[in-house]
Amino acid sequence: HTLGLLDRASSHQIQFDLVEAKLLLHTTWLSDGGIDFPAGQFVTPLGNEVIDPSGNTFYSHSYIYDFGLPVKDFGAYATWHATSIIDVWGGIDAGNQTTPWDDNNGAAAGMAGFGLNGLAGGNLTILALTHFGPEDPFDSGSFRYYNDIVTTYKLTDKITLVNELNWIRDDGLHANGFGTAQYVSYALTDSISLSARAEVWRDAEGAFVSQFGNFLDAARELQGQAPVSPTTHGTGVPTTYGEITLGVEWKPPVPSFITGTTIRPEIRYDSTLNGVHAYNDFKDTGMFTAAVDVVMPF
């Protein structure tokens, strides 16, 4: 949820959530590429994975997406296309999943970074962004820094490599989290792609990776309230997480009105690399998952 946008409309498990509601303005200022201005409620531009499942390689998300990045912001930012290669980013917002009229700490946050496009003969792009500002409830003086670099390289016509580097620092919690995820995708045919993701993420103080024992607890903690379930917490000790995910993306022949339908089965193995019991209510050091999803655009 974003605080101040339907977050208290219902106490049921199935709830409304406003993902995006923004205005877009393009100008021709300062350079031939001009400047783009999104304003309103928007999904964070940081990171490789997004909320919309059709924009991701896998059904399941990385540790970086879940615990090392902001989710949604309410504010405005600018992307200046300074040259055909260089983009410059900057903006201001209320903070991760908060609004100016219902901010959990009453302080603003910001974003800055750069993008490099069309490198290596048009095969390489780099996006390096940071989001900074107070995020902890009732603490307007301690900053949290989300730092992320995504590098995408088209190795061949069939093979695409994506690497993500991530570091989160919270001054109020005196905690750090950092890691990397490597994606490889191979276009087997026009309709079938094979993909793999390998990731290592270190929760250096055991402060970021958490389980929520009740569906209301994530929103309650964002508001600064106590969780409903006693099983809502993290390990509380330094923990290194690793995961390997293998998946297939198949675009079957379908009627024209649902062209683009994608079926994505995957298998995934998670493990704590330093032996901490972090899974299944903190009983196990590893976990195996099999999943499948179907994306049908209309």
Side-chain angles (χ1 to χ4, degrees), residues 122-160:
N123 295 315
L124 176 65
T125 62
I126 301 172
L127 181 61
L129 297 175
T130 180
H131 186 275
F132 49 89
E135 299 289 355
D136 299 323
F138 316 121
D139 183 356
S140 61
S142 300
F143 272 41
R144 180 180 299 175
Y145 304 88
Y146 301 93
N147 308 286
D148 198 78
I149 302 174
V150 177
T151 302
T152 304
Y153 183 57
K154 187 77 171 177
L155 183 63
T156 69
D157 289 341
K158 292 182 175 293
I159 300 175
T160 301

Side-chain angles (χ1 to χ4, degrees), residues 31-52:
S31 64
D32 291 340
I35 306 175
D36 293 317
F37 295 93
Q41 167 84 354
F42 54 86
V43 174
T44 179
L46 278 73
N48 180 53
E49 297 180 0
V50 295
I51 294 176
D52 178 1

Side-chain angles (χ1 to χ4, degrees), residues 106-287:
M111 180 185 67
F114 65 89
L116 301 176
N117 310 292
L119 303 176
N123 295 315
L124 176 65
T125 62
I126 301 172
L127 181 61
L129 297 175
T130 180
H131 186 275
F132 49 89
E135 299 289 355
D136 299 323
F138 316 121
D139 183 356
S140 61
S142 300
F143 272 41
R144 180 180 299 175
Y145 304 88
Y146 301 93
N147 308 286
D148 198 78
I149 302 174
V150 177
T151 302
T152 304
Y153 183 57
K154 187 77 171 177
L155 183 63
T156 69
D157 289 341
K158 292 182 175 293
I159 300 175
T160 301
L161 306 176
V162 178
N163 178 263
E164 185 169 10
L165 300 173
N166 178 258
W167 172 41
I168 178 174
R169 163 70 186 177
D170 191 297
D171 290 339
L173 299 176
H174 305 289
N176 294 275
F178 50 88
T180 183
Q182 178 67 54
Y183 302 73
V184 180
S185 295
Y186 177 74
L188 187 64
T189 69
D190 290 341
S191 60
I192 299 176
S193 296
L194 309 178
S195 297
R197 177 183 60 206
E199 180 183 19
V200 175
W201 206 79
R202 171 74 171 172
D203 190 357
E205 283 73 37
F208 294 112
V209 179
S210 301
Q211 75 166 23
F212 294 100
N214 182 279
F215 61 86
L216 292 174
D217 281 355
R220 289 178 63 85
E221 290 200 339
L222 186 64
Q223 296 162 4
Q225 301 176 8
V228 174
S229 172
T231 61
T232 294
H233 57 84
T235 63
V237 297
T239 307
T240 303
Y241 298 86
E243 60 96 357
I244 296 177
T245 306
L246 304 176
V248 178
E249 181 179 278
W250 175 41
K251 296 181 178 178
V254 294
S256 58
F257 70 93
I258 51 172
T259 298
T261 294
T262 304
I263 301 174
R264 299 184 300 187
E266 71 173 54
I267 56 173
R268 170 172 174 156
Y269 181 70
D270 292 78
S271 177
T272 54
L273 304 183
N274 59 338
V276 176
H277 290 71
Y279 304 102
N280 300 320
D281 285 338
F282 308 101
K283 300 183 183 72
D284 301 323
T285 60
M287 182 173 67

Side-chain angles (χ1 to χ4, degrees), residues 7 27 100 103 170 240 295:
D7 59 307
T27 74
D103 193 345
D170 191 297
T240 303
V295 180

